[in-house]
Amino acid sequence: MNDSSVQRTIDAIWRIESAKLIAGLARMVRDVGLAEDLAQDALVIALERWPNIGIPDNPGAWLMTTAKRRAIDLLRRSKLRDQKYEEFGRGNALYSEDDMDMSMDGEVGDDLLRLIFTTCHPVLSKEARVALTLRLLGGLTTDEIAHAFLVGESTIAQRIVRAKRTLSASRVGFEVPVGEELKERLSTVLEVIYLMFNEGYTATSGGSWIRPLLCQEALRLGRILAEIAAGEPEVHGLVALMEIQSSRFKTRVNATGEPILLMDQNRALWDQLLIRRGMAALERARNLGRPLGPYALQAAISACHAQARTASETDWARIAALYEALSRVMPSPIVELNRAVAIAMAFGPAFGLQIVDELTSEPSLKEYHLLPSVRGDLLVKLDRMEEARIEFERAASLTRNTRERELLHKRAAECASKGC
């Protein structure tokens, strides 16, 4: 294996293991920023050693052991040396390979869940909470987070640095809150899990259209939350949304990794178990007797697609109505763009295009690639091929995902050939 191949492998391993690594270290050192530093130190050591010694059989355990040794060395030199080192000696043996596969013990003892609630502490601003949690648990770079929020990379970097300093200075406990405090932090935690899932479902950058492991982790965390906050309909709504969306993974890319759009997917291959789980979670949200919130409404939209045996049987009028309801509880230009698509499918592309054209002056969508992508699709349906080609080319120039860029260039080429 050459150096570049090892580098790519290490990058992939880091994406998978970093959240567990930081969460485990945060439980030990009780400092999120320090935990990330220790994890990064372990990564640097891996980058130095693995090209020579090879990738370990269990790279996650290797990274944890390396990071934990550095943590112990650090604590030996700290003012709390005696007390903390004694605690480590009694209760924390170095990680073995089996430790990396530990499951829940029936209580909320999950380090990742503790880390989410720590990074979503009210001492931080909402923006800082989401950015920090995505950085530490989602393994996203500051650039990827910035793209997800449609803001500058430097802004996100500053939020993350300030957030870690604030948590350290405030001595925030590494724990899952209870009672009213749990409810107060829940909305931000749900938002973080939602964004984690979205990044996995359609990656903002890189060479892969999807990142299934990130979606799986978001769904796992959502299921845990549903157990400890069973009376909160939006928890079940988010779980329902993720379950139903996850059912399509096998059909979202072809054998070579190229994206397959929703209307072209083989619905016979959708995972019916996940769909049933999603429908059950949506029913639990409805049975709590409160108006549906943003996540439950989005789950209801996904349910419409899941219930249609073929693309042509999709109830677009109902989907448009659900997007209208969603725009009232969570108004945003992106929701409006999705509503435009539903209206176009239900009532004709000209009606959808009218809404999309109004969104072209929206500042927050200036660099959002899906706006020209949607506009291009509607122009194709109206047989305005040259205009559509221009829109697809613009969308391709804005996306950071290689697979998506290839798809958009392909669509632009198709428009050019049909317009001749």
Side-chain angles (χ1 to χ4, degrees), residues 140-194:
L140 276 64
T141 65
T142 53
D143 185 42
E144 289 170 333
I145 300 169
H147 193 70
F149 280 101
L150 306 178
V151 298
E153 183 179 356
S154 62
T155 300
I156 294 297
Q158 290 168 8
R159 286 178 188 171
I160 291 171
V161 169
R162 286 196 295 265
K164 288 190 288 190
R165 288 175 180 168
T166 301
L167 288 176
S168 180
S170 303
R171 299 184 181 277
V172 169
F174 189 69
E175 60 191 8
V176 177
V178 295
E180 288 302 314
E181 188 181 359
L182 173 63
K183 293 181 180 180
E184 290 172 3
R185 287 202 234 167
L186 194 56
S187 62
T188 300
V189 172
L190 291 176
E191 182 178 2
V192 168
I193 294 174
Y194 175 67

Side-chain angles (χ1 to χ4, degrees), residues 86-103:
E86 183 180 352
E87 290 176 5
F88 275 103
R90 284 200 309 265
N92 292 287
L94 289 176
Y95 271 48
S96 66
E97 294 192 5
D98 291 340
D99 291 327
M100 302 308 294
D101 299 319
M102 286 190 301
S103 60

Side-chain angles (χ1 to χ4, degrees), residues 278-291:
M279 294 297 188
L282 182 57
E283 190 63 22
R284 282 193 288 274
R286 287 171 170 153
N287 288 341
L288 289 170
R290 281 180 263 170

Side-chain angles (χ1 to χ4, degrees), residues 325-357:
L326 181 61
S327 69
R328 289 195 293 269
V329 299
M330 191 182 71
S332 84
I334 292 176
V335 171
E336 191 67 4
L337 181 61
N338 282 295
R339 188 175 76 88
V341 172
I343 286 177
M345 296 298 292
F347 307 110
F351 293 99
L353 184 61
Q354 183 177 353
I355 298 172
V356 171
D357 285 345

Side-chain angles (χ1 to χ4, degrees), residues 182-287:
L182 173 63
K183 293 181 180 180
E184 290 172 3
R185 287 202 234 167
L186 194 56
S187 62
T188 300
V189 172
L190 291 176
E191 182 178 2
V192 168
I193 294 174
Y194 175 67
L195 288 171
M196 284 177 62
F197 184 86
N198 279 350
E199 175 59 29
Y201 195 72
T202 306
T204 56
S205 64
S208 299
W209 174 245
I210 57 176
R211 291 168 56 186
L213 288 175
L214 190 53
C215 288
Q216 291 168 12
E217 190 58 37
L219 181 53
R220 188 184 72 84
L221 292 168
R223 288 169 177 168
I224 294 169
L225 275 181
E227 293 296 323
I228 66 172
E232 297 296 327
E234 274 294 78
V235 175
H236 299 297
L238 178 57
V239 171
L241 175 62
M242 294 190 294
E243 298 275 16
I244 296 172
Q245 296 287 83
S246 295
S247 71
R248 305 174 194 160
F249 262 114
K250 292 180 181 178
T251 63
R252 296 201 73 237
V253 295
N254 62 19
T256 60
E258 295 173 324
I260 302 175
L261 301 179
L262 175 64
M263 302 301 284
D264 300 324
Q265 291 171 15
N266 182 353
R267 299 181 179 220
L269 297 179
W270 285 359
D271 191 319
Q272 293 302 310
L273 174 60
L274 288 174
I275 290 174
R276 288 195 296 273
R277 290 181 66 117
M279 294 297 188
L282 182 57
E283 190 63 22
R284 282 193 288 274
R286 287 171 170 153
N287 288 341

Side-chain angles (χ1 to χ4, degrees), residues 4 27-28 47 49 51-52 59 74 178 182 208 232 283 335 347 358 374 376 410:
S4 62
R27 173 171 51 81
M28 298 172 194
L47 288 168
R49 295 185 184 176
N52 297 320
L74 180 65
V178 295
L182 173 63
S208 299
E232 297 296 327
E283 190 63 22
V335 171
F347 307 110
E358 293 173 358
V374 168
K410 181 179 178 181

